[in-house]
Amino acid sequence: MKKVSKKQRMRDVQRELMRRRGVTRDLFCGNKATSSNVSQYIDKSWLDENLGSVDVRVKKKNQITLSLPEVMNFSNEYEATVSNISAIRKLGGKSSNATHYKLVTVDFDKLRKISTSAALVLTAELSKWDDEIRQRLRPEVGNWDKAILRNFRELGFFGLFKNCNTIEFNDELGDSSNLKVVQYIKGRIGDSDKARLLKENITGIVGEEINKWMFLHGGLTEAVTNVGHHAYPDGFGFSEREKNWYLTGAFNDVSKELKIVFYDQGIGIPKSLPASEIWERILKVFSKIPLADRKKDEVLLKAAVELDRTSTYDSDRGKGLQDLLEFIKQRENGYLSIISSKGLYKYELVDGEEKIKAERFHTALRGTLIIWNAQLTN
């Protein structure tokens, strides 16, 4: 048996690492790989895996244009929506290495319909990208669909960009008729008071004070407070400028449905639970659950909601999600959806009938998305 030299052993290890990452020898010039090559081909592997969900065009110098799909939402277009949003995170940002793939354009021209929640998450991801490249993004709206342009204008999307020529909106865009959207609110850790701004904005579009507002306000304040406690813990590499949360709302004049959407870009609820003070209580709940299911994101989400506590055990906290649920119960129609990583937990009331859903997705949504919907008339 021939003795393997140390040099050959290192080559074998490197070759195995490349194989696990989906990298083949023909991708490397001269069959040699540097650290920059590895990063590039990890990006390529990611692109190969997601080509069925994202529409990308690679130009010279590894510059990429990402074309958004016609429809984006988290209900029946989840995988395509999250794959495109993930592509912005994966390929955007500032890179010091010229060999990396680099996102230079996000094309909205094909987009025809987008939900309020998808619009907020997309806005958040573009805001993160813009922060990383020092506010150099500039929207080009010449070929945008009029309805999409109107929706993003109402969301306050264009106020995001400092490097933006004045965009003149004419009357041809029309009114949003049935759906009224409030401008998004962006905050950081400690900005829980900003949740109060939503009350004023929602009151403006609904046209009257919302009954039981105390429940809704308490739930939103809790969600914002939890960002500081759970979403961006130390040791995960988040800079202070990355510790943001986003909030918006919408009201449908016809269906009388009020929707509130909250999103943070942190580690996600499933990852935060093992370090929380409620983990021991969750383990007790898990005693009745098969071992293979205990690490699933949807199972962890369900446990977190139904335990009705946060990790702080503070008497004035831990009931934020229950406040949001209570509002729905008062109306007997509505739902609360939480998407974090690959998990979904949804509580729904239809004419007083309770439905609970837990689902696992193929593609992970980074952070935590809370979608609350309530019927304002019985």
Side-chain angles (χ1 to χ4, degrees), residues 292-310:
D293 293 336
R294 297 178 187 180
K295 293 184 178 181
K296 293 182 178 180
D297 295 334
E298 67 275 20
V299 176
L300 291 167
L301 285 176
K302 184 177 180 180
V305 175
E306 295 184 353
L307 278 175
D308 190 22
R309 288 286 182 90
T310 65

Side-chain angles (χ1 to χ4, degrees), residues 6 32 35 43 49 87 91 125 151 167 178 206 230 352 368:
K6 183 177 180 180
K32 294 183 179 180
S35 59
D43 287 350
E49 292 175 2
L91 303 172
E125 207 57 54
N151 290 345
I167 301 175
N178 297 340
V206 171
H230 312 298
T368 298

Side-chain angles (χ1 to χ4, degrees), residues 57 65-69 105-111 143-144:
R57 298 189 301 276
T65 293
L66 171 69
S67 295
L68 298 179
T105 303
V106 177
D107 188 348
F108 281 61
D109 292 353
K110 296 179 182 178
L111 186 61
N143 295 319
W144 284 30

Side-chain angles (χ1 to χ4, degrees), residues 173-371:
L173 292 180
D175 297 323
S176 56
S177 60
N178 297 340
L179 190 66
K180 306 294 183 183
V181 181
V182 301
Q183 290 196 3
Y184 82 96
I185 300 169
K186 179 181 179 180
R188 289 187 178 177
I189 290 179
D191 288 343
S192 58
D193 287 342
K194 282 191 175 182
R196 299 178 183 273
L197 297 176
L198 192 67
K199 177 180 179 179
E200 301 173 7
N201 295 337
I202 290 295
T203 301
I205 64 174
V206 171
E208 61 180 90
E209 281 291 337
I210 303 173
N211 294 329
K212 305 292 185 181
W213 171 258
M214 58 183 296
F215 292 111
L216 180 57
H217 181 262
L220 293 176
T221 301
E222 169 70 2
V224 171
T225 302
N226 275 341
V227 172
H229 287 276
H230 312 298
Y232 300 106
D234 294 336
F236 281 82
F238 293 105
S239 65
E240 287 303 313
R241 71 178 184 182
E242 291 178 306
K243 298 177 180 180
N244 300 313
W245 54 262
Y246 300 80
L247 183 64
T248 190
F251 179 67
N252 191 306
D253 283 334
V254 175
S255 64
K256 303 301 179 184
E257 289 179 275
L258 175 64
K259 177 183 286 187
I260 305 296
V261 185
F262 174 87
Y263 178 61
D264 71 62
Q265 297 166 304
I267 64 172
I269 293 175
K271 286 185 179 180
S272 70
L273 287 177
S276 71
E277 296 177 11
I278 64 168
W279 185 239
E280 290 186 4
R281 297 181 65 225
I282 290 177
L283 291 178
K284 291 181 181 179
V285 174
F286 282 176
S287 63
K288 300 179 180 180
I289 299 175
L291 184 63
D293 293 336
R294 297 178 187 180
K295 293 184 178 181
K296 293 182 178 180
D297 295 334
E298 67 275 20
V299 176
L300 291 167
L301 285 176
K302 184 177 180 180
V305 175
E306 295 184 353
L307 278 175
D308 190 22
R309 288 286 182 90
T310 65
S311 63
T312 59
Y313 279 108
D314 290 349
S315 60
D316 61 339
R317 294 202 197 120
K319 296 184 179 180
L321 293 178
Q322 300 305 316
D323 287 341
L324 296 175
L325 291 173
E326 181 62 26
F327 195 107
I328 295 172
K329 292 175 181 178
Q330 293 288 336
R331 297 293 175 175
E332 296 188 339
N333 282 282
Y335 64 84
L336 174 70
S337 289
I338 303 174
I339 302 174
S340 192
S341 192
K342 294 184 177 181
L344 163 71
Y345 174 85
K346 183 175 183 179
Y347 174 94
E348 185 174 17
L349 273 176
V350 180
D351 295 329
E353 183 179 349
E354 183 181 276
K355 299 179 181 180
I356 296 178
K357 177 182 180 181
E359 183 178 348
R360 181 176 180 82
F361 299 115
H362 174 72
T363 306
L365 175 69
R366 300 189 183 188
T368 298
L369 175 67
I370 299 174
I371 307 170

Side-chain angles (χ1 to χ4, degrees), residues 6-20:
K6 183 177 180 180
K7 185 176 181 181
Q8 182 61 45
R9 175 60 181 164
M10 291 303 295
R11 287 177 179 173
D12 292 341
V13 170
Q14 185 182 55
R15 187 181 299 109
E16 177 62 15
L17 288 174
M18 297 303 169
R19 185 190 66 78
R20 293 181 183 183

